[in-house]
Amino acid sequence: MNIEETLVVLFGLIIIVQCFFMYVMSRRIRQLLEESDNAGLATDFTESELDEISKTVDEYKKHQI
C-alpha cells in the first residue's frame, strides 16, 4: 500500500471511532436528562413541609444573631 491508501484507511478508522464516541456521549446526555427530570420531581414539597422549613430557618436566624 502506498501512503495515500494508508491515510485513507487511517482517517476512515478515526471517523468510525469518532462516531462511536458521539453515540456514547449522546446516550449519556439522554441518561443525564432523564435523571434531571426525575430529580426535579423528587424536590416537590407540600405546603406543610415548606412551612416547617421556613420556621426552622427563622429559628436558626434568631439564634445566630
Side-chain angles (χ1 to χ4, degrees), residues 25-63:
M25 286 188 290
S26 69
R27 292 286 305 235
R28 182 64 179 146
I29 288 170
R30 276 190 239 132
Q31 183 183 24
L32 289 171
L33 287 174
E34 288 176 9
E35 288 177 9
S36 69
D37 289 343
N38 292 338
L41 297 175
T43 57
D44 292 337
F45 294 107
T46 63
E47 187 174 341
S48 62
E49 290 173 330
L50 289 174
D51 289 339
E52 186 66 32
I53 291 171
S54 66
K55 288 177 186 176
T56 305
V57 169
D58 289 339
E59 290 176 10
Y60 180 76
K61 285 180 182 178
K62 288 178 184 176
H63 293 295

Side-chain angles (χ1 to χ4, degrees), residues 1-16:
M1 282 199 306
N2 58 17
I3 190 73
E4 291 87 12
E5 292 172 346
T6 305
L7 286 176
V8 168
V9 170
L10 179 66
F11 290 148
L13 291 174
I14 290 172
I15 290 171
I16 290 171

